[in-house]
Amino acid sequence: MLRWFIMAMVVILPSVASAEQGLEAITVTTDGSGDQTYTLSIRVLLMMTALAFLPAAVMMMTSFTRIIIVLAILRQAIGLMQAPSGQVLVGLSLFLTLFIMAPVFEQINNEGLQPYFNEEIPPKKAMKAILNPLRNFMLNQTRDPDLKLFSNISGDNKYNSPDDVPLSVLVPAFMTSELKTAFQIGFLLFIPFLIIDLVVASVLMSMGMMMLSPMIISLPFKIMLFVLVDGWAMIMGTLASSFYV
């Protein structure tokens, strides 16, 4: 995120320093190959507009959704309503997302952002170079039935190659696959904690202690089990490796 902020500032600050007489009028220049370039003021406007959609892009086009859902289900399975807090889960999910998406972001920077900032490629080619790594990442994580579902709904299910799949079809298919995967992982996480709850409830019933909540007794055992198996390292490692299997 810091890299994106610095790159945005690199584009914005020169225009602010030179804007003594206000922003320039809209100017579109067409080169010999037919590509169009815009004035710096228009590029700043487009950059600020893109930054407004950055939170949605982080949630919908990266690994963030799967991670935050799994961690929320894990907290519910253990029985801890406020520990870790929501802010801690979001921060953990964000930095794990940056770790998982680092190769994709590096490719975006090398093939799209840096050539564009060095004025080596026009905006249209830069946008395509930026979206291609994200497209490949989402295609690798999207199930074929989900992709076919949204292709049939859109009425255009004939694509010659993965590059022909529009983002309007790929993003919802990717999100559907991510939700399914996250709930599958969450279901597997719930099973051992559910067994502990059942065992504790059965013991309390056999002892006639029906007025005592099983959650109070089972919570320390679930925390102990999670710590003994090094649960946090296991969960983080499993989530990270699940995107590269």
Side-chain angles (χ1 to χ4, degrees):
M1 299 300 292
L2 180 59
R3 178 182 297 175
W4 288 85
F5 177 77
I6 294 175
M7 291 178 179
M9 291 299 100
V10 170
V11 176
I12 295 171
L13 290 179
S15 65
V16 175
S18 61
E20 297 179 356
Q21 302 298 328
L23 295 177
E24 296 180 355
I26 298 177
T27 303
V28 181
T29 304
T30 303
D31 56 18
S33 61
D35 295 324
Q36 293 180 335
T37 57
Y38 304 92
T39 60
L40 183 60
S41 302
I42 301 303
R43 284 185 287 174
V44 171
L45 178 62
L46 294 176
M47 179 64 71
M48 297 302 296
T49 303
L51 289 176
F53 290 95
L54 185 59
V58 169
M59 290 188 294
M60 301 300 177
M61 302 174 69
T62 66
S63 58
F64 181 84
T65 299
R66 182 190 303 186
I67 297 170
I68 190 64
I69 290 178
V70 170
L71 294 181
I73 293 177
L74 173 64
R75 183 176 65 178
Q76 182 72 25
I78 296 177
L80 299 171
M81 298 297 101
Q82 299 297 330
S85 63
Q87 292 86 348
V88 173
L89 292 184
V90 171
L92 184 59
S93 302
L94 180 59
F95 280 96
L96 187 58
T97 298
L98 293 177
F99 171 78
I100 295 172
M101 301 295 296
V104 178
F105 291 155
E106 188 70 22
Q107 186 178 358
I108 290 174
N109 181 55
N110 295 335
E111 299 179 2
L113 292 177
Q114 291 302 323
Y116 174 68
F117 290 150
N118 296 331
E119 298 183 354
E120 298 175 359
I121 57 177
K124 289 184 179 179
K125 291 184 179 179
M127 182 60 65
K128 184 177 181 180
I130 290 173
L131 291 178
N132 279 339
L134 286 174
R135 180 191 298 274
N136 294 333
F137 172 80
M138 289 189 290
L139 282 172
N140 292 333
Q141 304 300 324
T142 303
R143 293 179 173 84
D144 291 336
D146 296 327
L147 192 59
K148 292 179 181 178
L149 170 65
F150 287 95
S151 299
N152 294 331
I153 294 175
S154 65
D156 187 8
N157 55 2
K158 296 180 179 179
Y159 303 115
N160 297 325
S161 66
D163 294 336
D164 297 333
V165 180
L167 288 178
S168 59
V169 173
L170 180 57
V171 172
F174 170 72
M175 286 302 302
T176 303
S177 296
E178 286 295 283
L179 291 173
K180 182 176 181 180
T181 303
F183 276 90
Q184 287 177 341
I185 298 175
F187 170 76
L188 296 177
L189 288 176
F190 241 105
I191 293 178
F193 300 110
L194 180 61
I195 293 175
I196 294 177
D197 287 334
L198 291 175
V199 171
V200 171
S202 300
V203 172
L204 292 178
M205 288 288 292
S206 63
M207 297 175 61
M209 304 174 64
M210 293 178 292
M211 300 302 295
L212 182 61
S213 174
M215 292 294 296
I216 299 177
I217 307 300
S218 63
L219 181 58
F221 290 99
K222 290 190 288 186
I223 294 177
M224 181 183 66
L225 173 65
F226 192 69
V227 172
L228 288 177
V229 299
D230 199 7
W232 285 113
M234 185 182 301
I235 295 299
M236 296 297 104
T238 301
L239 284 174
S241 61
S242 66
F243 289 93
Y244 296 101
V245 175

